[in-house]
Amino acid sequence: MKILVTGGAGFIGSALIRFLRARQLAEVVNVDALTYAGNPESLPGLDMDPGYWFEKVDIRDRAALERVFRDHRPDAVMHLAAESHVDRSILGPEVFVDTNVVGTQNLLAVAREYGSSLDDRSDGPAAAPAATGQAYPLPPGPAVASPRERFRFHHISTDEVYGDLPLEAPAFTESTPYAPSSPYAASKAASDHLVRAWHRTYGLPVVVTNCSNNYGPYQFPEKLIPLMILNAMAGKPLPLYGDGGQIRDWLHVEDHAEALWVVLQRGEVGRTYNIGGDAERTNRQVVEAICDMLDARRGQAAGGGSGSHRDLIQYVADRPGHDRRYAIDSRRIQSELGWRPAHSFEAGLRETIQWYIDHPQWVQRVQSGAYREWIEANYAGRETTSASIGRG
Ligand code: NAD
Ligand code: TYD
């Protein structure tokens, strides 16, 4: 099987490719424009891998996409390329519409044309599902008939499309109505709608997944967890938006990669699967956990007064339109496809901190001039609020 992965040089795409190639589950064509968020160094050793190809292509470039499909003839598409950071979408929403909406429509159009050109004659029953390395049984695969019927377009989306969840409300299910708050979430919601429309109108064989916040190795340090780990290690302030009481559900990126593979293999065409980590935490709890783990590891804070990393926490002006809570009900993927997360949040966070400690070169290179400009743009004008207390 050959999979065309878009956005494979990003955080989740690179974890997916490392997962697929380490287990020899599929050959991979990585289509990535290498924006600020794309980093080939997140795919170590793959340049020597005969089952891996890299195409530096922008998903907005239709002719280039057509060429890639023609040259590589994939059996499936896993679409992760996107602008993915909420704060950037607030400061500059245009590129989010361009890439996430127009880019996705472009990819859908090319995939549809390609998919309908595939052979529709049966070539016998499907091969047995490949092992994923996790200790749960996968259901037996259906006897699919032809390359055209086997073709899949897997759209990777976010729980943020469901919008702000009241504290006492039950977690998001696959039928929760869409109510996106940020330009990022709105652009992802639009792309989800396009993908579903392409299924219903043109019969494109799609599966959609909506996932909660990911964390783990190789995450660009503009997102909460790597930003806080690296700032704390450097003795820099830890900027919590608002009162730090916003709740997110956290999933280890390697658990996400496995869930994506399971859905691609066994998901029902036209169906959506929510993916979550069963780990709801407030941002304050997350940052305090990072501080405590670093305290335990290194004893003294680099810059904190009393010696705890918690002294670096600063409450700063809130993000406009900030959603209070996201939570995922992932019973569908658990009961129908047998997947569940393998990492506990605390163990996964500890491993992630260790990874950032062990990879100073990767960190140094992503913290380039462009990264420093972003930190300046997002944080310099953000007032420290009266909620600011050293130990939250
Ligand atoms: P990321 O920002 O780390 O990576 C995005 C990748 O897409 C980069 O490699 C970038 O170069 C590439 N890209 C951007 N614009 C492109 C374009 N026009 N053409 C080709 N490539 C382009 O993002 P991520 O965190 O890995 O997220 C991947 C996907 O998963 C996104 O679709 C995101 O919406 C979704 N998602 C992310 C999270 C999360 O917590 N990070 C949670 C749920 C869903
Ligand atoms: P983020 O990692 O940007 O993911 P998302 O906005 O997609 O959930 O942020 C996670 C949470 O952390 C979110 O509630 C915003 C908050 N946050 C801060 O409090 N301070 C920060 O510096 C950042 C980047 C995020």
Side-chain angles (χ1 to χ4, degrees), residues 282-317:
T282 65
N283 294 334
R284 194 183 320 128
Q285 286 173 326
V286 169
V287 173
E288 287 178 354
I290 292 169
C291 290
D292 295 350
M293 288 175 190
L294 284 172
D295 283 353
R297 199 174 272 281
R298 302 220 325 245
Q300 295 289 304
S306 70
S308 166
H309 287 85
R310 286 193 186 203
D311 294 335
L312 298 169
I313 293 174
Q314 267 185 15
Y315 291 85
V316 299

Side-chain angles (χ1 to χ4, degrees), residues 8-10 30-41 43 54-58:
N30 178 7
V31 173
D32 198 299
L34 296 183
T35 68
Y36 80 92
N39 185 354
E41 290 180 33
L43 294 160
F54 177 67
E55 293 280 0
K56 186 175 183 309
V57 162
D58 193 312

Side-chain angles (χ1 to χ4, degrees), residues 85-87 160 213 222-224 227-228 239-241 246 248 283 319 322 326 379:
H85 187 35
V86 173
D87 291 319
E160 303 199 22
N213 284 58
E222 63 186 356
K223 305 278 169 65
L224 180 76
L227 179 95
M228 295 296 177
L240 271 175
Y241 297 161
Q246 297 80 14
R248 298 290 181 267
N283 294 334
R319 170 189 280 176
H322 199 172
Y326 304 137
Y379 295 98

Side-chain angles (χ1 to χ4, degrees), residues 377-389:
N378 192 43
Y379 295 98
R382 213 178 259 276
E383 269 174 42
T384 306
T385 65
S386 55
S388 178
I389 44 173

